[in-house]
Amino acid sequence: MASATEQRETDQVREIGHEEYDPVGTAILIGIYFLILVLLWLFMYFVEFLGNGPTVVGALLTVVGLA
Amino acid sequence: MEVTRMSSTASRTYLDQFPAEAKVIKAAFWSSFMALAIGGLLGLVQALHRTDVLRFIDSADYYTVLTAHGILLAITFTIFFLVGIFTWAVTTSLDRGVVDIRFTWAWYIMMVVGTILVGVSILGGVVDAIPMYADVLFTFYAPLQAHPAFYVGLVLFVVGSWLAGADWFRTWWAWRKENPDERIPLPTFMALTTTLFWYLCTLGVALSILVFLLPWSLGIVDSVNPLLTRTLFWYFGHAVVYFWLMPAYMMWYIMLPKLSGGKLFSDPLARVVFVLFLLLSTPVGIHHQYLDPGIAEGYKFIAMTNTMFLLLPSLLTAFTVVASMEHGARQRGGTGYLGWLKALPWRDPVFTGMALAGLMFAAAGFSGMINAGMNINYLVHNSWWVVGHFHLTVGTAVALTFMAAAYWFIPQVTGKELWSRQLALGQVLVWFVGMTFMSNAMHRAGLFGMPRRTAEPQYQGFNFDPAVGTVGEINAQVALGAVLLTVALAMFLLNMVLTSFNDDSDSLPANTYAGTLSGPEDSPAVLDNLKLWTAIAVVLVIVGYTLPLASIVESGGLFGPDIGGFQLAIETDPALVLESVREVMP
């Protein structure tokens, strides 16, 4: 490891090591992000398909005889 | 796990440690800022013109302005900043200077000469005294044709960047001789893997320019195959977005944890991410060509699959970087499930700028997924949505990270204290707000089919039909956003200029980057085997591109079915364009 890695932050009030650190807040934020992505995907379904125009999926279903 | 060795240089700035390299980096940063200033201002001209708020240029000249905006920001601003950052990263993390500083100056000057040639040839589109033209947009494929000087300038710029990469590799090889048993320090690892995929992807654009576009522009060959030059462009054109993004990622991995008061959560994960970008950045370019006839759906499907895999390193990054920030916040006393967010140093413009850039990138992740999906891409292809998307990625994730980083780097390479931290903090906030207005409105406009690359998207006998809001309201948001972005740009440049007039300071922070909670010793040594990853990347490119390229050449000929070029702004009669638009619009 290079010598220029940061040693200590001045505002630090406690030292948390690798074993004792549990990034639960990160898990929550990432979970919220995934939820937003899922909701946006659902929203895109309405934008994409409710116009009832031709779509690639529709064409594919036609080709394989499903629609 | 944690390294506690204190360096004798730990309290010194980069300028103290590497004065010769600091000069080159400073020059590269200023080249980057100049491109940002000109390119950014032209962005305002376009936004006001398109939205019909203020039109003071001829609409035919819009494409000259658009070309300059695209090239200066997407190529010049980003890559000059990148070469500065990577030179800093390699020398700082290896704790040694470059092998030969003359070589370093040589590639920098080569890039400058290339930029001037490109810039002057684009300027020829609006200045009659310059007998050149290059109204070919950032996507400079056929059939749009530029003056040979434009292509020569691009070649010089790219070869300059190749030599910069060679410089970093030479420096690493020299270090490796002295440290044969050590792992590659993370910042150097990031610079080297990024350089490797840059070599791989720029081969496509070099081929496109040297074999096809330049001889065609010089009149040596009569025609080219437009689909072939498009495909070769996009072979480079998607990887280049990761070339811009990797220095921003580097900042998020090695600076944000430090600024947050913590350590990088995992060095091995960071290495995996950069290896994945080396492998996957290039064999995905065809996802920009979903609507191109002449490329079979199957090849497009392979490109889509590769693209979806590319989400993985970005999602890994989201986790690792946020976990590192949380570590810092908790070390600073933060508690609770989300209460730790309040303990982050939000008054630090470097931190806040980078964190907001990361937040914007998360939003861009969604619009990127839409672009990447073959069927939904058809909905937004060539619409203003795409412009909204890349203003979140290169226009914010990259640009805002770079501007925030500059608030730390410029003092490091000049030895002068930042002129105003308050102005800097205000600047990153204004940029964020401005981009929120502009990009959101662009995305929405794309959803109802408003086209991109259009000087006057107002048509007779046809009205766009937004599901929510009005076209006027969307245009107002774009114009407002563009004005705010220009204000933020002025704030940034003012701070940079006044900083360089500051006196030398003794109270600058030391030139350091983040330590790690889990270091390289926790990862398998094979991650550092650059030859292996490069070989796999080459194989993936061969798998992804051989058949499509063969098919394009077979059906259209290597030099095309007699396709002549044309100069967009000079030969296009606006009346004819309007006529053809009226024909296709219901």
Side-chain angles (χ1 to χ4, degrees):
Chain A
M1 176 56 70
S3 56
T5 49
E6 181 73 354
Q7 303 305 315
R8 191 177 170 79
E9 250 324 286
T10 44
D11 296 334
Q12 189 176 314
V13 296
R14 60 173 173 248
E15 176 99 25
I16 302 174
H18 185 248
E19 302 305 323
E20 54 196 320
Y21 173 49
D22 182 17
V24 60
T26 301
I28 292 170
L29 286 181
I30 299 280
I32 292 171
Y33 180 53
F34 274 98
L35 195 66
I36 292 171
L37 287 184
V38 169
L39 291 175
L40 284 170
W41 266 111
L42 288 175
F43 172 64
M44 278 313 285
Y45 171 83
F46 291 97
V47 173
E48 162 77 353
F49 295 102
L50 286 195
N52 290 325
T55 66
V56 179
V57 173
L60 183 68
L61 292 175
T62 311
V63 168
V64 297
L66 291 174
Chain B
M1 256 192 309
E2 175 44 22
V3 178
T4 51
R5 180 159 57 99
M6 286 296 288
S7 163
S8 58
T9 58
S11 61
R12 296 163 66 198
T13 62
Y14 187 79
L15 180 66
D16 298 330
Q17 291 171 286
F18 304 104
E21 286 81 358
K23 277 188 191 154
V24 189
I25 295 173
K26 189 171 76 171
F29 282 164
W30 274 105
S31 306
S32 161
F33 299 160
M34 276 189 264
L36 179 65
I38 301 168
L41 199 60
L42 295 178
L44 178 67
V45 173
Q46 284 171 78
L48 298 181
H49 189 96
R50 263 196 69 120
T51 53
D52 202 11
V53 172
L54 177 65
R55 283 184 175 158
F56 60 89
I57 56 166
D58 189 64
S59 280
D61 291 337
Y62 177 88
Y63 301 95
T64 307
V65 174
L66 181 56
T67 306
H69 176 73
I71 297 272
L72 285 176
L73 294 184
I75 300 279
T76 319
F77 158 63
T78 51
I79 297 180
F80 267 121
F81 202 86
L82 174 147
V83 294
I85 291 233
F86 278 10
T87 304
W88 165 84
V90 168
T91 48
T92 297
S93 65
L94 298 179
D95 202 13
R96 60 163 295 142
V98 294
V99 176
D100 184 349
I101 195 74
R102 288 171 303 178
F103 183 71
T104 309
W105 276 111
W107 59 250
Y108 166 72
I109 290 166
M110 196 168 180
M111 289 173 72
V112 171
V113 173
T115 302
I116 291 170
L117 271 179
V118 168
V120 170
S121 50
I122 297 172
L123 194 62
V126 286
V127 178
D128 291 339
I130 302 172
M132 298 183 195
Y133 50 89
D135 301 321
V136 291
L137 312 188
F138 157 67
T139 49
F140 47 83
Y141 38 66
L144 298 184
Q145 192 184 56
H147 188 275
F150 175 80
Y151 300 117
V152 172
L154 280 178
V155 168
L156 286 176
F157 187 82
V158 170
V159 172
S161 73
W162 286 354
L163 296 178
D167 203 8
W168 305 322
F169 266 96
R170 280 176 83 194
T171 310
W172 170 56
W173 288 328
W175 174 86
R176 199 174 53 176
K177 268 189 193 158
E178 296 156 11
N179 304 274
D181 300 321
E182 287 207 45
R183 295 294 292 267
I184 310 173
L186 185 59
T188 300
F189 182 85
M190 292 169 160
L192 297 182
T193 44
T194 305
T195 302
L196 285 170
F197 80 68
W198 179 243
Y199 285 147
L200 190 61
C201 77
T202 42
L203 283 179
V205 81
L207 195 67
S208 173
I209 292 177
L210 294 176
V211 179
F212 301 109
L213 297 177
L214 183 57
W216 178 54
S217 172
L218 286 167
I220 297 169
V221 297
D222 292 334
S223 88
V224 293
N225 180 342
L227 184 57
L228 184 57
T229 62
R230 276 175 73 87
T231 307
L232 288 172
F233 177 85
W234 285 120
Y235 169 87
F236 146 89
H238 193 74
V240 73
V241 311
Y242 292 109
F243 194 55
W244 310 323
L245 196 59
M246 288 307 101
Y249 268 38
M250 177 193 272
M251 293 295 98
W252 298 350
Y253 273 106
I254 69 173
M255 298 304 279
L256 261 187
K258 179 187 85 164
L259 298 166
S260 311
K263 295 192 173 94
L264 174 61
F265 185 68
S266 168
D267 169 299
L269 261 183
R271 281 174 208 255
V272 167
V273 164
F274 276 75
V275 165
L276 284 171
F277 278 117
L278 165 57
L279 298 183
L280 294 170
S281 288
T282 315
V284 294
I286 288 177
H287 76 219
H288 288 258
Q289 298 176 279
Y290 284 151
L291 276 182
D292 278 22
I295 299 178
E297 297 281 294
Y299 304 139
K300 293 175 181 170
F301 193 87
I302 292 172
M304 175 173 78
T305 312
N306 283 344
T307 308
M308 293 300 180
F309 274 116
L310 259 178
L311 290 171
L312 182 65
S314 285
L315 294 172
L316 280 173
T317 299
F319 171 77
T320 314
V321 171
V322 176
S324 308
M325 285 161 59
E326 183 184 351
H327 179 252
R330 293 198 186 280
Q331 287 202 145
R332 289 161 65 96
T335 53
Y337 286 122
L338 291 175
W340 55 272
L341 285 166
K342 287 183 291 186
L344 287 166
W346 293 107
R347 302 197 70 79
D348 177 358
V350 188
F351 170 83
T352 302
M354 289 189 195
L356 292 178
L359 187 61
M360 279 288 198
F361 194 62
F366 172 70
S367 55
M369 288 175 209
I370 297 294
N371 300 343
M374 258 173 83
N375 57 337
I376 301 188
N377 180 285
Y378 289 16
L379 183 72
V380 295
H381 200 95
N382 265 342
S383 75
W384 225 8
W385 166 287
V386 179
V387 185
H389 168 72
F390 64 67
H391 278 83
L392 289 183
T393 53
V394 68
T396 305
V398 174
L400 188 55
T401 298
F402 285 2
M403 287 188 277
Y407 294 135
W408 188 83
F409 275 101
I410 288 294
Q412 283 294 321
V413 295
T414 58
K416 296 168 193 294
E417 193 145 12
L418 184 66
W419 183 69
S420 168
R421 280 169 65 88
Q422 281 73 28
L423 184 67
L425 187 60
Q427 187 266 329
V428 298
L429 291 172
V430 173
W431 188 277
F432 183 82
V433 173
M435 194 57 88
T436 304
F437 277 115
M438 192 176 89
S439 172
N440 181 47
M442 285 173 165
H443 276 97
R444 286 176 51 208
L447 283 180
F448 57 78
M450 190 179 276
R452 64 186 287 203
R453 296 172 172 145
T454 304
E456 296 180 16
Q458 292 86 20
Y459 307 104
Q460 288 177 350
F462 169 80
N463 288 315
F464 291 109
D465 185 21
V468 181
T470 64
V471 173
E473 162 254 333
I474 281 174
N475 281 341
Q477 286 199 44
V478 170
L480 172 68
V483 169
L484 288 176
L485 288 165
T486 311
V487 169
L489 182 61
M491 291 162 79
F492 171 74
L493 293 168
L494 178 74
N495 217 347
M496 288 295 109
V497 169
L498 292 176
T499 298
S500 50
F501 286 110
N502 254 354
D503 293 330
D504 290 346
S505 168
D506 293 330
S507 58
L508 293 173
N511 175 37
T512 58
Y513 58 91
T516 56
L517 275 176
S518 168
E521 62 282 359
D522 294 336
S523 69
V526 70
L527 276 179
D528 286 12
N529 189 340
L530 299 181
K531 283 181 189 152
L532 173 69
W533 304 122
T534 309
I536 297 176
V538 170
V539 169
L540 285 177
V541 164
I542 291 170
V543 169
Y545 266 99
T546 308
L547 287 176
L549 283 176
S551 156
I552 289 165
V553 172
E554 192 189 2
S555 58
L558 200 54
F559 286 90
D562 197 22
I563 303 289
F566 58 89
Q567 300 159 24
L568 185 73
I570 298 170
E571 292 188 2
T572 306
D573 180 353
L576 285 175
V577 174
L578 272 178
E579 181 121 336
S580 61
V581 167
R582 279 193 206 112
E583 276 172 15
V584 296
M585 289 293 181

